[in-house]
Amino acid sequence: PDSEPLLLTRDGTVATLTINRPQRLNALTYAMFAQLPKLLGEAAAMPGVRSLVLRGAGSRAFSAGADISEFESTRMTREHAAAYDDAVLAAEEALGSFPLPTLAAVHGHCYGGGCALAIACDIRFAAAGARLGITPAKLGLVYPLRGTKRLVDLVGPSRAKIILMSGADYSAAQAQAFGLVDEVFSDPAALDAGVREFTALLAARSGVTQRAVKETIGRIVDGVTH
């Protein structure tokens, strides 16, 4: 149902996973992180699907990040915090290892855990009004190794240090300039059109090649060169 906090839909060759808590700026709960791998498995099994789009519901946010209002209960002990971190890591890894091309369509707020999910996608398109940031420095949290590596792979070590040490947020144009965003569109409608055009292009090209590209480039960024 449309009230589900994560919605998996399909339109032709494109599966779309929508973060669906617009009243909370699509903030991500522990339960949502825990559910993501299952939904991604379902998307990968859809016959005829050639790509996955990750987006946020409503007009204000892709995702404002983890829902910190539940931290008092979900991170109340060391064991709770470890379980929470494991769920977040599993969600990001499931997205990062998804077998088909993945595209984050970013508008509005894209912060913290939401930005981490966008980074776990293969490609990031953004509307010009989007704001992106990774904010553990505001909460006294330590950003995990795998997420940090993904960020470093995109923007380089010194820019990653700036982003993570400052917890600053950036415009879509700034994020594109240092490699966090791949394409910027004038507004959300243009973003949607750009996503449709690109996913149609992917569907018209070789899926065998695309899967091989994902695997090969994944191995290269993990240090395998032959």
Side-chain angles (χ1 to χ4, degrees), residues 72-157:
E72 191 172 330
S73 58
T74 58
R75 303 185 69 91
M76 63 188 296
T77 67
R78 188 184 297 261
E79 291 75 20
H80 280 84
Y84 187 100
D85 291 344
D86 286 347
V88 173
L89 176 64
E92 292 176 20
E93 291 298 309
L95 194 52
S97 63
F98 192 78
L100 304 172
T102 54
L103 173 62
V106 178
H107 73 284
H109 303 290
C110 180
Y111 296 134
C115 195
L117 290 180
I119 290 170
C121 292
D122 296 317
I123 300 157
R124 282 146 298 284
F125 286 2
R131 303 289 302 185
L132 300 93
I134 305 174
T135 51
K138 294 182 179 180
L139 300 169
L141 301 176
V142 177
Y143 205 60
L145 177 66
R146 285 292 296 175
T148 302
K149 183 186 184 303
R150 287 194 191 94
L151 182 63
V152 171
D153 289 338
L154 286 179
V155 305

Side-chain angles (χ1 to χ4, degrees), residues 3-55:
S3 60
E4 290 293 317
L6 290 171
L7 291 176
L8 178 61
T9 57
R10 176 187 174 172
D11 182 9
T13 61
V14 182
T16 298
L17 187 57
T18 302
I19 306 167
N20 186 40
R21 294 182 77 210
Q23 74 283 4
R24 295 282 298 167
L25 296 178
N26 298 321
L28 295 149
T29 64
Y30 170 80
M32 292 165 71
F33 283 118
Q35 188 185 10
L36 251 171
K38 175 179 177 290
L39 289 176
L40 290 169
E42 292 176 12
M46 289 177 171
V49 163
R50 295 289 307 279
S51 62
L52 175 84
V53 175
L54 181 66
R55 65 187 323 128

Side-chain angles (χ1 to χ4, degrees), residues 93 146 149 153 215-225:
E93 291 298 309
R146 285 292 296 175
K149 183 186 184 303
D153 289 338
E215 182 179 349
T216 300
I217 293 177
R219 294 179 69 195
I220 290 168
V221 298
D222 284 339
V224 178
T225 57

